[in-house]
Amino acid sequence: MRHDRSIELAPSARPHFEYETLSALPEWFVIVARCGACGHEDELDRRAIGRRFGTNVELATLPIRLRCRPPCGNRVGNRLFLRKLAR
């Protein structure tokens, strides 16, 4: 919701990504996921994500679809980060 002077009054419910879908994300970005429980961090294979969820999957919905590796197995509070590859 915005004020008359374009001031943001309430935070948006969904996180904002510059690139909304996996297919819109340029190849020089790496997708990194972090577990909310144990802090485990790993790079995700974008091709495997595309095969499993489709290339038009919204990046904002990916964290709730991910699960940490055993023995943790956490599915709550996971976060997604985008990093640029070094030149």
Side-chain angles (χ1 to χ4, degrees):
M1 189 164 109
R2 289 196 179 267
H3 187 269
D4 290 338
R5 297 183 201 159
S6 293
I7 300 171
E8 188 72 33
L9 296 177
S12 59
R14 293 179 51 181
H16 173 71
F17 288 105
E18 187 175 340
Y19 305 102
E20 294 292 325
T21 63
L22 183 64
S23 61
L25 187 68
E27 291 185 20
W28 55 84
F29 279 98
V30 176
I31 304 170
V32 179
R34 182 180 299 156
C35 176
C38 69
H40 177 253
E41 189 173 298
D42 203 1
E43 291 182 3
L44 302 177
D45 181 16
R46 12 178 354 147
R47 288 184 183 93
I49 293 172
R51 282 191 301 270
R52 182 164 184 172
F53 302 116
T55 56
N56 290 326
V57 65
E58 292 183 9
L59 295 177
T61 64
L62 270 182
I64 58 175
R65 296 176 181 212
L66 299 176
R67 180 177 53 216
C68 190
R69 292 187 178 176
C72 179
N74 177 48
R75 295 187 82 141
V76 180
N78 297 328
R79 299 186 72 191
L80 192 73
F81 300 97
L82 300 177
R83 294 186 183 151
K84 281 188 177 181
L85 288 173
R87 288 185 156 212

